[in-house]
Amino acid sequence: MIPKTLNDREPVPNLTDIEAMRATFSWDAARAECAGLPDGGLNIAFEAVDRWVAAGCGEAVALRWLGKNGERRDFSYAELARLSNRFANALQRLGIQPGDRVCILAGRIPELYITALGTLKAGAVFCPLFSAFGPEPVRVRLVKSRARVLITTTLLHQRKVREQRSELPHLEQVLLTDGNGDEPGTRSFHTLLEAETDHRPPPRTQPEDWALLHFTSGTTGTPKGAIHVHEAVVAHGLTGRWVLDLRPGDIYWCTADPGWVTGVSYGIIAPLVNGATLVVDEAEFDARRWYAILDRERVNVWYTAPTAVRMLMKMGAEALCGHDLSALRFMASVGEPLNPEAVHWSMAALGRPFHDTWWQTETGAIMIANYRAAPVQPGSMGQPLPGIEAAIVQRRPDGGVDRLPPGVEGELALRAGWPSMFRGYLEDEERYRQCFADGWYLSGDLATCDADGYFRFVGRNDDVIKTSGHLVGPFEVENVLMEHPAVAEAGMIGKPDEFAGQIVKVFVALKAGYEPSDALRKELLGFARTHLGPAVAPRELEFAADLPKTRSGKIMRRLLRARELGLPLGDMSTLEGGRSQNSGV
Ligand code: 6R9
């Protein structure tokens, strides 16, 4: 346990007495902290931006954009309000209705932030797609979301969308952030904005109106579209204040890409709702660049991922040398287990611990955290947020759940009903229903809870993996490989990796007439990369004579993984043919 010695010169944490707050907390009181819309109702973008303008703080810097080639551009709250009004006006002119989906496929460029806020103001649903996805994950998400509008760049359009337009009948408009309208079937994002005015009546959304659509993966089937409503902003704002300790004027950097939930909840919404300046770096990870940003921008609060922390550890003290990180007040991480060594390293190298936080696409906001005011328990995800009841449970055969005592491993569950809880999986009512039992939301994560109420992550109860903090489901990866003429079967696992946490590894059984070879391995890896993109594509591929399957024909990834790691093979009673050993791997 790392006790807290808070520096006298630093502000008192926003949340000091967690127990007392837990005892008196009500979500209604948290709701009352929102400004709300002039005519009633609630809108995320209004809470994030326009409220500050109305309060006379419009000149404060909302977004500080650092381009990969050294550009630096500030957008004030007032400027973001005006630009997002223009985009909302443009959507309206294009006939976009409340509830329609607007997707963006782009890196961390200013237009992404304008698109997010403008879409929310128009009452449409903002759906980000990770720019490192290949054409196949992009197509699947555009089809499933039924996006009417896509914002992207010329290059990403050419590489990942253009050839698939005929399979996307719902996609009416493609707006290119760097286009001049020459590319067939597209329009220029900026020309559209120029034709609009800065003004727009306040949004008319209600707390339960759909706002955000985030795709996430499961073991089976296509990605699930988790739906969030405008009321989620209550939890974004509160967790920004209590967990990240944000306050107006803070310089805050969230390194997550808005293609994933963290990059939206905490890379756009929570910091703006709390009046902070959001630093956005367009470039990819680079230890020296990152330290330089923390130093030069005087970052106060930093939210990143364990993979990045491990990469910084690897670079050693040399990369840090000469940089002044004294402005940093709070550092936190999310997305994968934060190993205790990383916490100890940050104490030694940066003088402060990283605070682990736990949440999911489905929870919309941080649910469990190590708080600024509480001792950090290295290796623990922390304690639930006031207002959140978390428990370790076991599913019963009758569909109910039993709570398990301290120290016993089980499924991490949350009492349903917090504002940022997802409201459904798009067109998948059954999968949504299966996430709940006896009033609990079942997370699919395995964990323990000690007698002091600190939770520890154990693993997942499905075959989804995290690689560099990104969630990858086996279905998507295996499906693409199966498209190759040589592949009969494919099974994906997460192979432990010192830096990325896990890497995507696939086992492949070939069709008759094909022989394993290095050339074929390279070809298959290249094939997967072309279709899936670098974020999802397997890094390792191993040939197998056949893959272990259950009697009902499902690939037993658990077995593939156990064999890879040299672990006991466990219960094999359901294995096809009752074999105790698989022949080929
Ligand atoms: C925000 C986000 C969710 C899954 C989650 C769990 C893993 C998240 C973690 C963690 C260990 C932590 N996860 N935080 N595992 N320690 N502090 O990452 O959402 O992409 O939906 O992933 O990530 O397995 O269930 P998402």
Side-chain angles (χ1 to χ4, degrees):
M1 188 150 94
I2 299 176
K4 289 290 168 66
T5 46
L6 292 173
N7 190 324
D8 287 351
R9 285 173 297 133
E10 291 182 356
V12 174
N14 287 334
L15 179 62
T16 45
D17 192 338
I18 300 157
E19 281 314 313
M21 192 51 85
R22 196 166 279 138
T24 58
F25 181 85
S26 87
W27 282 111
D28 277 341
R31 281 184 189 96
E33 304 260 333
C34 291
L37 295 170
D39 298 340
L42 189 66
N43 184 278
I44 295 176
F46 188 88
E47 294 298 316
V49 174
D50 298 66
R51 177 170 56 99
W52 294 108
V53 180
C57 306
E59 292 319 305
V61 179
L63 170 63
R64 172 158 299 155
W65 181 73
L66 308 174
K68 56 181 169 218
N69 300 318
E71 312 93 308
R72 185 173 193 265
R73 198 170 155 202
D74 281 355
F75 294 79
S76 68
Y77 275 86
E79 203 175 351
L80 272 193
R82 290 193 293 270
L83 290 166
S84 53
N85 277 348
R86 281 178 181 257
F87 185 65
N89 289 339
L91 286 179
Q92 194 176 343
R93 192 176 301 272
L94 294 173
I96 297 307
Q97 301 291 321
D100 283 347
R101 266 75 77 180
V102 174
C103 286
I104 185 157
L105 175 70
R108 293 177 294 279
I109 53 176
E111 288 86 349
L112 185 149
Y113 300 82
I114 296 162
T115 296
L117 296 164
T119 300
L120 294 167
K121 283 184 175 181
V125 180
F126 177 67
C127 175
L129 307 177
F130 189 40
S131 58
F133 279 151
E136 186 55 18
V138 168
R139 186 188 65 80
V140 166
R141 287 159 178 78
L142 284 173
V143 167
K144 205 157 181 186
S145 67
R146 297 193 194 187
R148 290 185 66 193
V149 182
L150 171 71
I151 291 82
T152 188
T153 64
T154 305
L155 194 65
L156 291 172
H157 178 248
Q158 283 171 359
R159 288 198 180 153
K160 305 183 182 185
V161 185
R162 195 166 60 186
E163 282 168 22
Q164 324 198 56
R165 279 292 284 272
S166 60
E167 295 169 55
L168 303 167
H170 299 284
L171 187 60
E172 294 162 25
Q173 304 284 346
V174 173
L175 313 181
L176 299 183
T177 58
D178 55 351
N180 51 16
D182 283 357
E183 171 97 7
T186 71
R187 293 182 186 220
S188 154
F189 177 90
H190 287 285
T191 307
L192 273 183
L193 255 62
E194 276 154 25
E196 301 297 337
T197 77
D198 285 341
H199 304 288
R200 183 175 170 81
R204 307 186 66 88
T205 48
Q206 294 300 316
E208 285 300 319
D209 286 349
W210 291 12
L212 306 165
L213 176 64
H214 286 293
F215 281 98
T216 184
S217 300
T219 298
T220 54
T222 51
K224 305 173 277 189
I227 298 155
H228 289 281
V229 296
H230 281 275
E231 200 195 38
V233 73
V234 176
H236 297 142
L238 188 79
T239 50
R241 192 156 69 248
W242 280 358
V243 183
L244 300 178
D245 200 48
L246 290 169
R247 55 202 76 211
D250 268 344
I251 308 290
Y252 165 80
W253 186 22
C254 170
T255 62
D257 189 277
W260 303 91
V261 72
T262 306
V264 173
S265 293
Y266 296 98
I268 307 178
I269 303 168
L272 296 180
V273 169
N274 283 289
T277 293
L278 174 65
V279 172
V280 170
D281 182 26
E282 190 193 13
E284 294 312 318
F285 175 86
D286 173 321
R288 285 197 171 73
R289 182 179 168 102
W290 277 32
Y291 285 134
I293 289 173
L294 291 167
D295 175 355
R296 197 184 54 232
E297 303 302 337
R298 312 303 300 147
V299 173
N300 307 122
V301 178
W302 185 26
Y303 198 25
T304 189
T307 294
V309 180
R310 290 189 291 265
M311 301 286 276
L312 291 173
M313 283 170 73
K314 176 185 161 197
M315 295 304 290
E318 213 178 286
L320 177 60
C321 191
H323 286 300
D324 169 11
L325 306 191
S326 60
L328 267 180
R329 184 175 77 231
F330 186 76
M331 314 191 304
S333 82
V334 67
E336 16 157 8
L338 180 67
N339 35 324
E341 307 80 65
V343 179
H344 294 302
W345 169 81
S346 77
M347 285 297 289
L350 310 176
R352 317 179 163 268
F354 272 99
H355 295 73
D356 195 6
T357 66
W358 177 91
W359 59 290
Q360 304 178 301
T361 301
E362 286 84 348
T363 72
I366 298 168
M367 298 282 109
I368 292 176
N370 285 277
Y371 300 89
R372 183 163 163 240
V376 168
Q377 299 247 17
S380 161
M381 309 191 290
Q383 328 164 50
L385 185 84
I388 296 298
E389 190 187 350
I392 301 298
V393 305
Q394 187 173 36
R395 301 188 194 220
R396 284 196 312 263
D398 70 1
V401 298
D402 292 320
R403 285 185 83 145
L404 297 173
V408 177
E409 182 185 315
E411 187 165 359
L412 174 51
L414 305 164
R415 176 70 66 192
W418 66 97
S420 64
M421 190 177 90
F422 70 135
R423 298 297 197 267
Y425 288 129
L426 198 64
E427 288 170 15
D428 218 338
E429 189 55 39
E430 180 54 23
R431 263 166 138 184
Y432 182 65
R433 218 182 40 75
Q434 285 168 2
C435 294
F436 297 89
D438 284 353
W440 294 93
Y441 162 69
L442 302 166
S443 71
D445 277 5
L446 303 174
T448 60
C449 177
D450 67 18
D452 296 329
Y454 277 78
F455 286 77
R456 277 174 190 268
F457 181 79
V458 174
R460 291 186 60 102
N461 73 355
D462 60 13
D463 291 337
V464 169
I465 71 150
K466 274 281 172 118
T467 178
S468 298
H470 300 147
L471 200 74
V472 178
F475 182 82
E476 230 171 355
V477 174
E478 293 165 2
N479 246 19
V480 157
L481 278 160
M482 305 270 282
E483 294 289 307
H484 190 282
V487 176
E489 290 169 347
M492 183 199 94
I493 64 160
K495 177 177 171 183
D497 180 81
E498 197 184 343
F499 300 111
Q502 299 175 84
I503 57 163
V504 179
K505 171 161 186 173
V506 283
F507 293 88
V508 166
L510 295 174
K511 283 190 187 148
Y514 290 91
E515 287 301 317
S517 70
D518 251 7
L520 184 55
R521 185 203 328 277
K522 283 197 188 108
E523 183 184 323
L524 292 175
L525 285 171
F527 179 84
R529 198 179 160 90
T530 308
H531 287 84
L532 291 165
V536 185
R539 291 251 296 272
E540 279 188 21
L541 186 149
E542 193 171 317
F543 293 112
D546 60 5
L547 301 181
K549 284 190 281 307
T550 62
R551 286 193 193 105
S552 58
K554 287 189 197 142
I555 290 175
M556 292 185 86
R557 302 184 190 92
R558 179 177 62 80
L559 251 178
L560 288 172
R561 194 176 135 78
R563 200 170 299 123
E564 171 77 30
L565 302 181
L567 297 174
L569 298 184
D571 175 16
M572 310 229 295
S573 57
T574 57
L575 191 66
E576 177 198 24
R579 285 173 301 181
S580 58
Q581 290 269 314
N582 173 255
S583 45
V585 180

